[in-house]
């Protein structure tokens, strides 16, 4: 089992870095010298800097796919002694294509996401598509129709038909090209209506080669992306601090106003309490004078029901019988 310090830089950059934020990168630098050197690399902070800006996707930008769909051209890397060199990745079919001036042609016709070939229906295809499942393209995906609404072969379901040109030993590949053709035409129309690039349809900036994006002037040639990233982070935190300060002042003023109202109500309550004490003492003094206090008559009602005639007679008889018995015994 490999140690934590033995994880290669390429694995860290390609698979771990996209899952980490700036605070977690800073925590990794404190683990050991190896991880400190990897986390201090300018390419790492260039990736973090990309998250802080809005890069414009232009017609000349090169789409190389997501972090898990990218493919190296090892032959070009050895010939040019340069790494990494990625193939272009088609945003619709996810097929690898030659990157002019950078890589040669791929050896095989391979998709960046092989799961697409076995998607059963349009919903599953959109879910596993490397570009259409990204949040940056969610607005466009919400406008797409299902394969059931698009197909014109007379079949009333959303399942893709089997691709008869290719046979697999276990699973049969699905014919997804007709639906992808519909997606491509719909995507071009959507981008044209919204003023976006109709050449590079995918709007996820992380899927493009960094140097080919439309970025603010000079930011491609920063000598230290860490310093620029931290400056932008400080500006962001400064704006957030001003907002939180305003919220605190607002709540403090509300608290002080509430306390003033509470103090006023408390004073009024104490005055009312003293008045109540005075009137209570006066009432007690008046009640102490003979003949002044009114004696309340017993209330007859639900709580004090009026005794019935039978009950009154029984009570009188019970009281009289012992007297008669005592008189008889004396006689």
């Amino acid at each position: 089992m490999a140690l934590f310090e033995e994880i290669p830089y390429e694995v860290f950059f390609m698979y771990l870095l996209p899952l980490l934020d700036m605070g977690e990168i800073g925590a990794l630098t404190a683990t050991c010298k190896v991880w400190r050197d990897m986390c201090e690399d300018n390419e790492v902070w260039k990736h973090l800097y990309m998250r802080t800006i809005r890069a414009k996707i232009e017609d000349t930008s090169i789409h190389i796919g997501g972090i898990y769909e990218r493919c190296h051209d090892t032959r070009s890397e050895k010939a040019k002694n340069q790494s990494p060199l990625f193939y272009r990745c088609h945003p619709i079919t996810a097929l690898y294509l030659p990157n002019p001036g950078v890589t040669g042609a791929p050896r095989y016709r391979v998709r960046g996401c092989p799961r697409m070939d076995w998607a059963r229906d349009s919903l599953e295809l959109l879910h596993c598509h490397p570009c259409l499942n990204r949040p940056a393209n969610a607005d466009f995906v919400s406008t797409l129709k299902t394969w059931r609404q698009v197909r014109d072969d007379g079949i009333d379901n959303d399942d893709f038909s089997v691709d008869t040109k290719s046979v697999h030993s276990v699973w049969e590949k699905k014919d997804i090209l007709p639906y992808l053709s519909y997606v491509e035409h719909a995507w071009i129309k959507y981008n044209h209506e919204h003023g976006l690039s109709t050449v590079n349809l995918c709007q996820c900036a992380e899927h493009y080669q960094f140097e080919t994006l439309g970025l603010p002037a000079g930011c491609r040639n920063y000598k230290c992306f860490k310093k620029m990233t931290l400056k932008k982070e400080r500006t962001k935190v400064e704006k957030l601090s001003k907002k939180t300060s305003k919220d605190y002042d607002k709540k403090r003023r509300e608290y002080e106003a509430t306390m003033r109202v509470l103090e006023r109500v408390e004073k009024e309550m104490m005055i009312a309490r003293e008045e109540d004490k005075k009137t209570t003492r006066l009432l007690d003094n008046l009640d102490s004078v003979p003949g002044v206090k009114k004696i309340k008559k017993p209330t007859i009602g639900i709580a004090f029901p009026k005794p019935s005639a039978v009950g009154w007679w029984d009570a009188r008889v019970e009281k009289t019988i012992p007297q008669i018995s005592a008189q008889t015994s004396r006689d």
Side-chain angles (χ1 to χ4, degrees), residues 154-168:
I155 301 176
D156 189 22
N157 59 43
D158 196 36
D159 297 336
F160 293 122
S161 58
V162 179
D163 187 3
T164 56
K165 298 180 181 179
S166 59
V167 179
H168 195 269

Side-chain angles (χ1 to χ4, degrees), residues 136-148:
N137 299 316
D139 293 338
F140 162 68
V141 173
S142 63
T143 64
L144 289 176
K145 299 179 181 178
T146 62
W147 174 235
R148 181 177 186 174

Side-chain angles (χ1 to χ4, degrees), residues 256-274:
E256 292 175 352
T258 304
M259 290 302 297
R260 288 194 294 268
V261 172
L262 183 62
E263 291 175 358
R264 177 176 58 81
V265 173
E266 186 177 4
K267 290 179 180 179
E268 294 176 355
M269 182 192 69
M270 297 304 295
I271 294 173
R273 181 182 179 184
E274 293 299 326

